[in-house]
Amino acid sequence: MAVAHKDRIDRLNLLRQLIPRSPSGQGCPDPRQLLGRLAEHYEASRSDAARVRAIQRDLDELVKDGCIEVVNPGGKPQRYRRAADLDGTDPRLWAYAQSLMRSLIRDAVPEKRLERIWASLREEGDDFGLGDDKLCILSDTQRLLPADFKEEVLLAALEALAQSRTLQATYRDGAGKLSRPELHPQALLQRGPRLYLFALKNDEPAPLRMYALHRFTSAKVGEGPGRRAEGFSLEDAVRKGQADFAGDGEVQLELRVRGYVADLLRDCRLSADQTIEDEPDDSPFSARVRATVPETGQLLRWLLGCGANVEVLAPAKWREVVVSQLEKMGAIYGPAAPG
């Protein structure tokens, strides 16, 4: 780097370290923001305009050397991110990246939990060239915006859990009734777009209750130790919570499918024991699928979402439920208008 003075070399190194890689361009700083964090390295005796010009010269030097780049060329103010130079990556960093990726793949692939890979790589990947510009995850379900909750409530809940303390809460239930319980937190669960706190209430040994975080109006960590619920297991609670329709068992599902659903189930099985075979030529469907799946509301929503591309053959109870739901939908929308 063509810089004569050691102080400036040190200052340029600090400046480069403060600038994130951020392939998406989010959170990239401008000169004044950087000056605010490195104020002591620019002469306080100089005017504000002179200090901005000084840091701008340093930024121009880093751009010229290929260490950083402008996110918004021509914009005012310009914002900067660290350049992603794979050839210049520290070999130790790249060795760490390879180790991380191998570990993620080894842990996630056997269980078909690919979301673990993407979440970790999106979190740590910026430092070795894998960020939002190279990784994208599209959900095949409609994502709802998370329910609003107060940051201080979540912070207090996490602190109470970490320290095994009580939680002094003000809570408004679904009917609008306000209460101020002393809670004994057991675990946090995110279910879809909502966060829930498993907790015992006041001096009750049971039942274990679920409190929606968005219904807390306030919460703070209490002085006393929290009580543990006897026999509580978060894994068991999650399994029970997933069984939100027709029980907590499994169902031997038999379907006729066509269109994109047939293609999808050939690539992505409903279960490890799924079988799929072609339907006869005169059938309105292209394939017949059999699979053992958990009996949940999520399964019902998936079947309804497939529309006319799936027909439930068995079990009879599930066929009746799907037919009943479709009849209710038909009553809402009425008969289709003639083409």
Side-chain angles (χ1 to χ4, degrees):
M1 190 178 290
V3 183
H5 199 278
K6 183 179 182 304
D7 287 348
R8 191 175 182 219
I9 293 176
D10 292 342
R11 191 173 71 226
L12 288 173
N13 285 332
L14 283 172
L15 189 57
R16 179 181 177 275
Q17 291 171 19
L18 281 178
I19 297 174
R21 290 192 188 276
S22 186
S24 66
Q26 297 296 316
C28 293
D30 61 44
R32 287 192 177 277
Q33 290 172 326
L34 290 166
L35 183 60
R37 300 183 64 182
L38 287 175
E40 68 273 17
H41 295 276
Y42 294 87
E43 296 178 32
S45 59
R46 303 173 69 183
S47 68
D48 182 61
R51 298 169 77 205
V52 170
R53 286 195 297 271
I55 197 169
Q56 188 64 66
R57 286 193 295 270
D58 288 347
L59 290 167
D60 291 342
E61 181 73 27
L62 290 173
V63 170
K64 180 181 177 181
D65 288 344
C67 298
I68 64 172
E69 58 191 15
V70 179
V71 176
N72 57 333
K76 290 185 179 181
Q78 289 188 332
R79 296 180 290 110
Y80 298 85
R81 65 182 167 200
R82 210 181 323 162
D85 180 8
L86 192 58
D87 294 335
T89 299
D90 186 334
R92 293 170 298 179
L93 179 61
W94 185 241
Y96 164 74
Q98 289 178 311
S99 174
L100 172 67
M101 286 186 280
R102 286 196 185 99
S103 176
L104 289 171
I105 293 170
R106 189 182 306 117
D107 292 343
V109 169
E111 298 181 12
K112 306 295 185 184
R113 298 294 300 276
L114 298 184
E115 69 275 9
R116 293 181 180 177
I117 299 177
W118 310 138
S120 296
L121 288 180
R122 285 164 67 90
E123 182 178 340
E124 303 190 44
D126 278 355
D127 287 335
F128 43 86
L130 292 175
D132 291 341
D133 62 334
K134 296 180 181 176
L135 294 175
C136 180
I137 301 96
L138 296 178
S139 172
D140 63 352
T141 59
Q142 176 63 42
R143 290 194 174 186
L144 304 178
L145 294 176
D148 290 332
F149 59 84
K150 298 180 184 296
E151 292 182 11
E152 59 268 23
V153 168
L154 177 57
L155 183 62
L158 291 171
E159 188 176 344
L161 281 169
Q163 298 183 10
S164 298
R165 305 283 287 278
T166 58
L167 191 69
Q168 304 296 326
T170 304
Y171 188 80
R172 190 179 301 277
D173 66 18
K177 182 181 178 181
L178 195 67
S179 62
R180 293 180 173 80
E182 180 183 60
L183 302 180
H184 300 260
Q186 310 293 310
L188 273 170
L189 168 69
Q190 179 176 341
R191 187 177 183 185
R194 292 180 287 196
L195 271 172
Y196 293 93
L197 178 69
F198 287 99
L200 294 172
K201 179 181 176 183
N202 299 327
D203 297 327
E204 299 174 352
L208 187 66
R209 304 170 187 265
M210 287 180 68
Y211 293 88
L213 237 68
H214 62 277
R215 292 187 179 141
F216 284 86
T217 60
S218 67
K220 65 178 182 179
V221 180
E223 297 294 330
R227 291 184 290 110
R228 296 298 300 170
E230 184 176 353
F232 172 73
S233 162
L234 180 57
E235 183 179 354
D236 290 343
V238 170
R239 189 180 300 114
K240 182 178 179 181
Q242 288 174 335
D244 55 2
F245 170 78
D248 58 357
E250 292 184 326
V251 59
Q252 307 292 323
L253 199 63
E254 184 174 351
L255 311 172
R256 290 202 302 177
V257 296
R258 61 188 174 194
Y260 83 93
V261 176
D263 294 337
L264 176 65
L265 295 183
R266 292 185 191 277
D267 295 336
C268 309
R269 294 175 295 170
L270 278 167
S271 65
D273 69 348
Q274 174 183 296
T275 61
I276 186 167
E277 57 190 42
D278 292 337
E279 279 282 283
D281 292 340
D282 59 350
S283 171
F285 291 86
S286 61
R288 183 171 298 228
V289 177
R290 296 178 179 87
T292 305
V293 294
E295 194 174 26
T296 66
Q298 186 176 7
L299 173 61
L300 175 61
R301 290 187 289 272
W302 183 80
L303 290 169
L304 293 173
C306 291
N309 287 306
V310 64
E311 178 190 10
V312 179
L313 299 177
K317 178 182 70 174
W318 273 80
R319 181 179 176 88
E320 292 168 3
V321 168
V322 171
V323 169
S324 172
Q325 292 297 317
L326 293 176
E327 288 176 347
K328 292 176 182 177
M329 291 172 64
I332 293 173
Y333 290 100

